[in-house]
Each structure stands twice: as C-alpha cells, then as structure tokens.
Amino acid sequence: MTVGALTRRVAALMASLAFLATAASVQAACAVGAPGATVSVDAGGTGRPFLLRRPAITDAPAPLLILLHGSGGDGGKMLAASGLEATAERHGFLVAAPTAAIPAGKGFAWNIPGVPTVTGKIPDASDADDVAYLAALVDGLVAQGCVEPARVYVTGLSGGGRMASWLGCVASDRYGAIAPVVGLRAGNPRPDQPDEPDPASCRPDRPMPVIAFAGDKDTTNPTQGGGAGYWQYTMHAAEQRWAALNGCQAPPTTQWVAPNVYEERYSGCRDNADVVGRMTVGGGHTWLADNDALWAFVSRYRRDGR
C-alpha cells in the first residue's frame, strides 16, 4: 500500500470515528429544559405537567429522583420545601416534581388503589392511574435523552411517601430504590388485623432498597401506629416487612448518626437491598430528611435490564 493510500485510509477511519462520536453526543443530549433551570414539562404526552430541575453540570443521560408531594400539596411547593434542587446541583442528578390529580383541600392527593385519601375518598376508575402516569414521566425523559433508566429513584413526603412505598410494592422493576419521608408503608393494613401490613397488598418482583425518614413526635402518621385508616401499623412493622420481602439475614443494627437522629438498618439482603429507617427524636410531620444521606443511599442502586 502506498503512503498516499494509507493516509487516505487513516483519514477515512478518523472521519468515521468523528461521525460516531458526534452521533453519540447528539443521542445523549437532553432535549428538555436547560442546565441549571427548573422548567414545566408534559409527562410523556399525558397532559399532566411536572417540574423538572436539571443541574448546571451533569452528563446526559443522568440519574433521576422523583419527588412526590404530600396530600393537599403540589409539586412546586414540595420542590421548594424539600431543598432537593440544591442537592441535585451538588450531586449531578435530575429532580422531577409532579402533581397528583385527585383534589384534596387546596391541592391534590395520589391514587393508591383501595386506600382512602385524606378526604376519605377511595379512588375509583374515574381517577388517574398514578403508577402509569409516573411511568410515562420516566419513559418520556428517557426517550428525550435526559435520564438513565437503570437509575430512577422515588422519594416523597407523607402521602407522597405512601405513594413512593406503593411504587416499591407494584413497580419494583422500574425504580432503583425508594426513600419515603414520614410515610413509609409496606402495603395496606390488614383488614382483620390493621396493626400489621397485609402481605397480599405488597408483592414486589425484586428486592427494593428502602431508606425512610420519620419523627417520633409525628401525630399525623404516628410512628407508633394508629392514626388514619390508611396508616394503623407502626413504622417498625413496615421496616420489618420490607426486610422480610428483601430476604435480609443480618440482625438489625441501631446507631446514632446525628445528635438527635438514630438509624435502624437491616442488611445481608438479596441484591444488597438494605432497609434503613432514620428517626429524628422530637421530629414532627415535615420534610426532615437528610438530603445528602438520602441521595448517598439510593444512588448506590441500579435497575438493570430495562
């Protein structure tokens, strides 16, 4: 081969590599919003908007944390109250803050089938399917090059925490981990024995990593159990049920992680899907999560194969 022919072949190869690199870059570019901005986005053609925060510096596609508001709230107020926009900037993940569709007071409530909302309404076929809605939200962001599908996580406050728990029960193949705040459940209360979770109402297909945050002075969703009909069993019972579902073998350990916060951890679980409960002594019914600890926990996990 002549020097000229070799030069032409090398040039052609370099051009091909440059084209592939450009194509990959175009495919990876997120087509929604702008870095460092919070924008309103339609959830996968559902007609239901949500707020999306893209950090200023991140690779695309990136991890996604879905933030679910409490009953009577909305996505915008929840995003502001949680402080997760700043956390996303530090760690380079996206935050989606959707709004539920069932009217509740001045805001909205999530549709957990068979479970009454705070207004006492039991959702029926006329109400939006929020499991499907959130799936469409995720799929739309994945299709637009924004989100890595194996790294999608859910957190939420109160009723949003209960919805996050429900997603862990019924959509374990889609979400990498859940992080309920003052709202951890492991299925509905048993009809005949409401101080225990009903095993039939929570049957995840895979182990679901869980980190939950609560306050021991919460009178809305008492960690000691009781409260409204959708609540009843204790937070400890919820932790134990998730540990059983995840096949955790090691005895639970308890340690203080801050002057007024202790952590109970179940480990030795299938797929390393730990179950962690963080209790704030004196804490009430509010966003009391340690956002950095929340992200450090959930971001360890992936849902491969989607």
Side-chain angles (χ1 to χ4, degrees):
M1 179 181 295
T2 66
V3 174
L6 178 60
T7 300
R8 288 192 296 273
R9 179 167 291 187
V10 171
L13 177 60
M14 294 299 292
S16 296
L17 291 174
F19 172 79
L20 291 174
T22 301
S25 176
V26 171
Q27 184 179 16
C30 178
V32 179
T38 301
V39 298
S40 181
V41 182
D42 179 35
T46 64
R48 290 175 61 183
F50 67 95
L51 293 177
L52 178 70
R53 174 70 179 196
R54 286 181 59 188
I57 301 176
T58 187
D59 294 327
L64 170 67
L65 180 64
I66 300 174
L67 171 64
L68 305 177
H69 63 78
S71 300
D74 61 56
K77 292 176 183 176
M78 187 71 256
L79 189 60
S82 70
L84 279 170
E85 287 172 296
T87 311
E89 288 292 343
R90 287 195 298 273
H91 297 289
F93 63 90
L94 280 67
V95 180
T99 296
I102 299 176
K106 296 182 179 180
F108 301 88
W110 299 100
N111 180 352
I112 303 175
V115 178
T117 70
V118 291
T119 67
K121 170 183 169 59
I122 297 178
D124 56 35
S126 68
D127 293 305
D129 182 341
D130 283 327
V131 175
Y133 162 61
L134 295 170
L137 181 158
V138 173
D139 289 345
L141 291 175
V142 169
Q144 294 178 87
C146 302
V147 169
E148 184 180 355
R151 302 190 68 196
V152 179
Y153 315 101
V154 189
T155 186
L157 172 73
S158 188
R162 292 189 288 110
M163 185 66 197
S165 301
W166 182 244
L167 292 172
C169 291
V170 301
S172 60
D173 63 331
R174 179 175 288 275
Y175 302 104
I178 59 172
V181 180
V182 297
L184 177 67
R185 297 289 81 187
N188 302 337
R190 283 181 52 173
D192 59 334
Q193 201 164 343
D195 60 347
E196 295 181 6
D198 182 2
S201 63
C202 186
R203 293 179 174 176
D205 294 327
R206 302 183 184 184
M208 174 55 63
V210 177
I211 185 168
F213 300 85
D216 65 357
K217 300 302 182 182
D218 187 340
T219 56
T220 302
N221 290 340
T223 58
Q224 306 85 359
Y230 58 73
W231 192 251
Q232 297 300 296
Y233 59 85
T234 67
M235 179 176 170
H236 187 69
E239 293 173 17
Q240 288 184 314
R241 179 59 186 158
W242 279 114
L245 288 166
N246 290 356
C248 303
Q249 298 298 314
T253 59
T254 302
Q255 64 174 341
W256 289 93
V257 295
N260 64 331
V261 180
Y262 65 88
E263 174 184 286
E264 188 170 41
R265 179 179 291 265
Y266 297 80
S267 56
C269 316
R270 288 183 295 129
D271 297 347
N272 294 314
D274 288 0
V275 176
V276 175
R278 285 198 171 202
M279 185 70 69
T280 298
V281 177
H285 193 72
T286 187
W287 185 267
L288 39 66
D290 178 330
N291 288 351
D292 290 318
L294 185 160
W295 181 249
F297 178 88
V298 300
S299 62
R300 292 163 43 195
Y301 298 99
R302 302 176 61 91
R303 274 292 178 259
D304 295 315
R306 288 198 54 82

